[in-house]
Every structure is written in C-alpha cells, then in structure tokens.
Amino acid sequence: MANSGPGATISTPPGRDSSALRSRILKDALVVLGVCATYILVAKLSLRLATVHPSASPVWPPTGLAIAALLALGLRFWPAIFMGAFVVNLTTAGSVLTSAGVATGNTLEAVLAAVLVVRFANGKHAFDRSWDILRFALLAGVLSTAVAATFGVAILTLGGFAPWKQFGLIWRTWWLGDAAGALIFTPFLLLWGADRSLKWTKRQFLEAGVLLVSLTATAAAIFGVLFHTGMSGDPWTFLCTPFLVWAAFRFGQRESSAAICLLSAIAVVGTVQGRGPFVRESPNDSLLLLQSFLGLMALMTLVFGAEATERRSQEEHARVLAVSDPLTGLANYRLLVDRLGSEIKRYGRDGRPFSLILLDLDGLKKINDAHGHVVGSLALCRLAEVLHLSCRAIDTPARYGGDEFALVLPGTCSEDARRVAQRISQRLSEDVEVPRLSVSFGVAEYPRDGQNIEHILSAADQALYNEKHRLPGRTSVTQPS
C-alpha cells in the first residue's frame, strides 16, 4: 500500500499506464494509416494528369495534404508521408531504391515546410495574419517544394528513369505542381480541420448559397465544364475574382479557402478537357499555366481575407471599448445613457416602468490608502462581478464613474429593485476576501421619480446621498488580522 502521509505521491498502477500507452500507440497507428491511405488515393488520382513523366504531375494536392498533416498532427507522423509516397512511386515508375529516394524527398519537403512555418509563420495559425501568409507562401510554397522537386528529379535521372535533357521540364512541372498544392490545399485542410462548425445566421446561409451557385456557374462557363464551350481570351479569366473577394470579405479564411478549392477543381476539369483561357498546345503547359494562376489567386485571396478579418476584429474591439469600462468590463456611461433612453421609449410602447439603482463602493479612498491602488482596482472588479451575478440577462450593470455603479432593471418596480440592491449588499458582506466591501445604494423608478434621463439619474443620486447620510457609520474597510 502506498504511503498516504504528508508529502507522499500517489502512484498510478502499472497496468493503467501500459493500457494508456497501448491505446495511444493504436490511435497513432490508425492516424498514420489514414493519412497514408488518403495520400496514396489523392496521389494516384493526380498522377493521371502526368504527361511529361509518370511521376511528375502539374496538379499535386498531396503536398498540401502532407504539410497540413504535419502542422496539425505533429512531426512524429512523418512516416505516414514516407510510406504513402513510397507506395505511390513504387507502383508508378522506378525501382525500390528510386521510390525510396523520391519518398525521402517528398517527406523532407513536408517536414521542412512544417518546421519553417512553425518557426517563422505562426504554425497552423499561419493564415490568421497577412505577413504570416506571405511567409508561408515563401517557405512552404517556394523553398520546401524546390527540395522535393530537386530530390525527386535527380533520383529519377540518376536511376535512369528520366532523361537528363528533360531535367528542367520535369523539375518545373514537379515544383509548380507542389507549390500550387501547398498554396491551395494546405489552407483548406488546416482551416476546416480546426473548425468545421457553421455558425451562420439564416441570412448568411442564403448569402453563402448565392455565392456558391454564382461561383460555380461562372467558373463552369469560363472553363466549359457544363456548357462545353469554354471562353478563350485572358480577360475572361478574371471573372471569378469578384466571387473570391466576396467570400474573403463577407465570410472569412475558411470559406475563402473552400471557394479557391472549388474554383481549382472546376478549372482543372475544364482545362484537361481542352477548354478555357489557359489551353495551350501541350496539356502540361496548359495545367502549369493554370496552376500558376490559381496559386497567385489563392495567395491574394487569403491575404485579402486576413486583412478583412483583422479589420472586422479591430472594429469590433473599438465598438466594445466605446461602450464598456476597460477596468471592470461593465457598460460605461455612454451605454448606460443609451439603455436608459431605450427603456424610456419602451415605456412609451407598453407602459411598464423600470428602475435604476445607483451604488457607491464605501470607503474606496481608505482602501487605496490602506492597501494600495491595485487592491482598490480589484475591489471595483469584485463589486462588478457581484453585479453580474445579481442581475438578469436583460439588466444592464454599468460603471457610472469613479466608485459609483449603476444597474438598469427593465420592467421592475422600486420595491423589487430595492430587494435586488439588498441582495447585492448581502453578497458583498458574505465575501470573506480582505478588504471587506460594502455599498450604499439609491433607487429611482421611471416615470414616478423622473420623466427623462437626467431626472431619473438625479433622483437615484439623491436617494444614494440620503442613504449614505442615514448610515454614516457604515464599515467599509477591514484591516487584515
């Protein structure tokens, strides 16, 4: 039996430790198999578009999958990428040795991208800020993909599975395919993997539906997927741009990444069928040109979306600061006056009165002198917390100014409001934290005690003044024993 005396540690039974370890190993193994199988499936589908070499496709989503997997799950899952790449290459072109070499290059690409993005671009949150997105594009979309292209093409040519005279062409195809895969599919997988819920209003669902139909119809018309008459000429290429801007501005990064993937899928299908503005003499050149365009559009859309999201966040923060007290988080005087005006208008509609409580924290100056201003500020926060606990969701607790607070109680008469004030006072008296706190309060009822905002505030202030003079000996500060 373990010692239960002071300072003893409680040991976990060995069987429980081994069971937890087996469970974790099994879970990790399932994740590795899942990532590996997905990599193989996506890679095999992508290699159907390879024309210059069986192992080099201009469309390569597996790069985005591999980088997203290591960023989201951790570097310890690199074997999933290696095994998937090895199986794909072994069953496509090459020997066991060259397949292992190419798989090593693909794995190094994902590992290097994940390490650099975590170090310099905020990791899996790289798409929250525009500068991090640009760093991600450079580190994961340009540098790390060059490693895989160089490694892979060099292995194939040294092994005799690709001619040296085509080194440049195969390398360019490999690199652009990987770069586009990183820029288009990594954001989609990371953003939707982190949050798959749709917290939209009915209006947003309707807007998203209109956006989806509009983008799909426009892309299908440009690339001839539905109408089999794709538009030729560079100006038509940019007809899809407003819809990407729409998604970025009105929704956010998740939806923008989904719009980019949808556009990419439609564009690739149309271009492979020989329709759309990117068609050239060679299918490989057509897809490389398309991938360059899609990669740049993805980068610009994500940057624009990050800027739009940050601007909305700043505006929301500014709105909160404009109507809230920075110390206590309660409504400030501006919001208090606004709520009083709203309640007066509501009374004109339904005739129900409302009450206003003004509360004064007793002896705040003595608290500051005895304990310091930090403790005094904490005392104000303690009173604010009690106000939150004592009021309903429809009530408005506010900091009136200095050591005075206010509480607007819709549909409440003065007697009920006084009981609320007494409950607040009682909760403060039951708080054993030092210094002990107490409040004085005054209650005014609209329209009995005032016909407008100024009068109702004055009436509550006068009631508070009378209360403080009625109980001049109220204890406000308790020194620590």
Side-chain angles (χ1 to χ4, degrees):
M1 180 178 295
N3 182 14
S4 59
T9 57
I10 301 177
S11 59
T12 305
R16 185 177 300 176
D17 283 344
S18 60
S19 176
L21 180 61
R22 285 195 300 269
S23 176
R24 180 179 177 181
I25 292 175
L26 177 60
K27 182 179 178 180
D28 288 353
L30 292 176
V31 171
V32 168
L33 291 177
V35 173
C36 178
T38 305
Y39 188 99
I40 294 172
L41 175 62
V42 176
K44 281 296 184 181
L45 292 175
S46 302
L47 287 175
R48 293 188 175 188
L49 304 177
T51 55
V52 298
H53 190 275
S55 297
S57 172
V59 180
W60 196 247
T63 293
L65 171 64
I67 296 174
L70 296 189
L71 284 174
L73 302 174
L75 293 176
R76 73 178 188 274
F77 288 95
W78 66 264
I81 310 303
F82 180 84
M83 289 189 298
F86 177 77
V87 171
V88 169
N89 285 277
L90 185 62
T91 56
T92 301
S95 63
V96 174
L97 185 60
T98 58
S99 298
V102 173
T104 301
N106 291 338
T107 306
L108 285 176
E109 172 189 62
V111 171
L112 180 61
V115 170
L116 291 177
V117 170
V118 169
R119 177 65 179 84
F120 299 104
N122 203 23
K124 58 184 178 181
H125 303 291
F127 306 104
D128 294 343
R129 296 180 297 183
S130 56
W131 276 110
D132 289 333
I133 295 173
L134 294 176
R135 293 189 186 100
F136 173 87
L138 175 63
L139 300 174
V142 177
L143 296 181
S144 66
T145 52
V147 171
T150 304
F151 218 94
V153 179
I155 290 294
L156 290 176
T157 51
L158 289 173
F161 292 95
W164 281 102
K165 63 180 180 179
Q166 288 191 324
F167 187 98
L169 176 61
I170 299 174
W171 188 94
R172 184 183 63 177
T173 301
W174 198 308
W175 176 67
L176 278 175
D178 284 16
L183 293 174
I184 295 171
F185 295 100
T186 303
F188 175 78
L189 294 173
L190 282 179
L191 293 169
W192 284 94
D195 183 10
R196 293 182 292 273
S197 61
L198 294 177
K199 301 175 183 178
W200 295 344
T201 62
K202 292 182 178 179
R203 184 174 181 179
Q204 287 176 314
F205 271 106
L206 177 62
E207 183 179 358
V210 174
L211 172 60
L212 175 63
V213 172
S214 302
L215 175 60
T216 303
T218 303
I222 293 174
F223 294 97
V225 174
L226 297 180
F227 309 108
H228 305 292
T229 55
M231 299 178 181
S232 61
D234 292 338
W236 296 111
T237 305
F238 300 96
L239 283 180
C240 292
T241 304
F243 300 104
L244 298 179
V245 174
W246 181 1
F249 184 75
R250 291 289 295 165
F251 292 94
Q253 297 294 71
R254 288 190 317 161
E255 293 76 8
S256 299
S257 66
I260 294 167
C261 287
L262 174 62
L263 173 61
S264 176
I266 296 174
V268 168
V269 171
T271 303
V272 169
Q273 293 174 353
R275 290 185 286 269
F278 295 100
V279 175
R280 298 296 184 267
E281 294 181 1
S282 165
N284 189 70
D285 290 341
S286 301
L287 288 174
L288 287 181
L289 188 60
L290 173 64
Q291 291 295 83
S292 300
F293 169 76
L294 291 173
L296 289 175
M297 290 300 296
L299 178 60
M300 290 188 294
T301 303
L302 289 171
V303 169
F304 181 80
E307 291 293 327
T309 301
E310 185 176 359
R311 181 179 179 85
R312 284 196 298 268
S313 177
Q314 291 174 349
E315 290 176 349
E316 180 63 26
H317 184 61
R319 282 194 293 267
V320 171
L321 290 179
V323 296
S324 64
D325 175 60
L327 175 63
T328 62
L330 300 179
N332 61 8
Y333 181 79
R334 176 185 296 180
L335 184 56
L336 171 64
V337 171
D338 181 70
R339 293 295 168 83
L340 288 174
S342 298
E343 286 303 314
I344 290 175
K345 292 179 182 178
R346 186 189 56 77
Y347 175 81
R349 296 192 300 270
D350 59 22
R352 296 182 63 191
F354 71 90
S355 294
L356 171 67
I357 305 176
L358 285 185
L359 304 103
D360 181 83
L361 181 60
D362 297 322
L364 179 60
K365 183 179 184 303
K366 294 181 179 179
I367 294 176
N368 288 331
D369 292 342
H371 302 276
H373 286 81
V374 173
V375 176
S377 297
L378 292 176
L380 294 172
C381 294
R382 288 165 57 192
L383 176 53
E385 184 178 358
V386 171
L387 286 178
H388 269 302
L389 295 174
S390 303
C391 63
R392 304 164 297 180
I394 61 173
D395 300 334
T396 303
R399 189 177 179 191
Y400 187 52
D403 57 357
E404 292 188 349
F405 292 78
L407 183 58
V408 181
L409 302 171
T412 305
C413 63
S414 58
E415 290 78 8
D416 292 338
R418 180 169 289 276
R419 282 192 287 270
V420 172
Q422 290 171 346
R423 185 165 65 246
I424 294 171
S425 180
Q426 181 181 356
R427 283 184 171 174
L428 282 175
S429 66
E430 293 172 352
D431 186 1
V432 297
E433 185 176 348
V434 175
R436 303 292 289 273
L437 304 179
S438 65
V439 292
S440 302
F441 60 86
V443 178
E445 180 184 324
Y446 181 90
R448 187 192 66 186
D449 300 320
Q451 298 294 321
N452 55 39
I453 296 176
E454 181 180 356
H455 290 167
I456 196 71
L457 284 171
S458 297
D461 191 56
Q462 184 62 45
L464 173 61
Y465 178 82
N466 296 336
E467 174 76 8
K468 291 182 74 71
H469 282 267
R470 187 176 66 87
L471 300 171
R474 181 188 293 272
T475 302
S476 58
V477 181
T478 299
Q479 298 289 347
S481 56

